[in-house]
Structure formats: C-alpha cells, structure tokens
Amino acid sequence: AQSVTQPDIHITVSEGASLELRCNYSYGATPYLFWYVQSPGQGLQLLLKYFSGDTLVQGIKGFEAEFKRSQSSFNLRKPSVHWSDAAEYFCAVGASKAAGNKLTFGGGTRVLVKP
Amino acid sequence: GAVVSQHPSWVICKSGTSVKIECRSLDFQATTMFWYRQFPKQSLMLMATSNEGSKATYEQGVEKDKFLINHASLTLSTLTVTSAHPEDSSFYICSARDSMNTEAFFGQGTRLTVV
C-alpha cells in the first residue's frame, strides 16, 4: 500500500527566508507525486506535480519540488516566502497520472510566516 | 483552472438528522468525483469515488449506508450523511475531474457540525 510521510507538523519561517517542506513516500511502482496547499477553511490548490522526466519541477507561486527516487523523497521548496504562503501543505501520491484518483495524502505541514 | 463548488460551506444539524452536501463542476463535465473527509488538524482521507451514472466505490471502513453518494449528472455529485451523529462532524471536501484532465480540482469544502 502506498503511504506518505511529512515529518514536520509545523514550520515557522521568517518572511523572505527560504522554505523547504519534506515529503517521503512509499510506493511499489512509479509514483505520481503532488503538492497541494490549503488555506484555512478552504479546499486544496495544486502547486505542482511530478509524473516523469526532469526531477526538478516548477509549480505555481514560485514553488519547486525535487523528486529523488533513491531517497523516496519529493521535497517542496521556495527561495523566499511571503506572508501569504502561510497555510497547510500536503504532499500526496497517486496511483496514476489522474490527480485525485485515489490520492494518499501525507499528514500535512502547517507553515507559519513571521514578519 | 476549472471551478468546483461545494454547497453549503458550513452546516450545523441536530443529531439524528440527515445532511446533503453538493459538489458541482461549474465549467466542465466531471466524469469522476471524489469525496474526502478531513478531521481537525489531520490529513484528508478518501471516502469514496463516484463515476457518473454508476454506484460509488467506497474505501474500506467507510459505511456506504451512512454516507450516501449520488452522481446523477456530469456536473453534480451529492454526499448525504444519514442519521448524523456528533462523531460525523468533520470537514468534507470533494474533487472532480473530467475524462481528459490529469488534474482534479477541489471544492472549497463543507464544515459539518452535528450537535
């Protein structure tokens, strides 16, 4: 069975500083990986996804993620955070390219941004 | 991106009553819709997958008689929580995708409180 682990429950970062959110997955076949962001009381917005090819993927809002098969990781990064980046971030693995098709989500990482 | 709308955004109901939550795809035909449940400060758990015109497929441990899902049209799926109890209080989120899209779009969620 597939699983996703986000080791950090909370991360506090200063505005303008860099941000890295960790994600480790367990999946027997080629994983289809996603990062979503959720603002309080809202649904989820897709930041980026990885299916194949270049292991460094660019997403919206200045986010990027790097797929490392040897480490079973798909960490999310942003060089300089903005106050509006404060939210909950979820890493997910899917069984196919169709995002949302039986996605397994990690526990989430809540990001707090200090002025 | 495509828009998925959930209604209502929040609802309070009395224990023992039933509540219906709607998930609509506003500008595309959603051949597949997914229903997730999110407990406070926890991740999303897939409850069921529904395809237009057919019975929903429920995940293990989800009571199909408790959580009735209907996907009668290509733009609407409904989740009915029957005989609601306080432990059913949660945040329910739907997502929808069409047959061609690799991305599923999420609704804004519905917060259900059973008193």
Side-chain angles (χ1 to χ4, degrees), chain B residues 96-109:
Chain B
R97 67 175 176 88
D98 61 26
S99 59
M100 301 297 292
N101 212 322
T102 59
E103 178 177 350
F105 299 93
F106 283 81
Q108 77 274 26

Side-chain angles (χ1 to χ4, degrees), chain A residues 86-102:
Chain A
E88 184 98 26
Y89 292 80
F90 292 97
C91 180
V93 62
S96 73
K97 291 183 179 181
N101 187 11
K102 287 195 176 284

Side-chain angles (χ1 to χ4, degrees), chain A residues 2 5 9 16 18-19 26 30 33 41 43-44 51 57-58 70 72-73 76 90 96 100 102 108 111:
Chain A
Q2 57 205 45
T5 302
I9 297 176
S18 63
L19 173 69
S26 173
T30 301
L33 297 160
L44 277 71
F51 294 157
V57 293
Q58 302 297 320
S70 61
S72 297
S73 69
L76 181 71
F90 292 97
S96 73
K102 287 195 176 284
V111 173

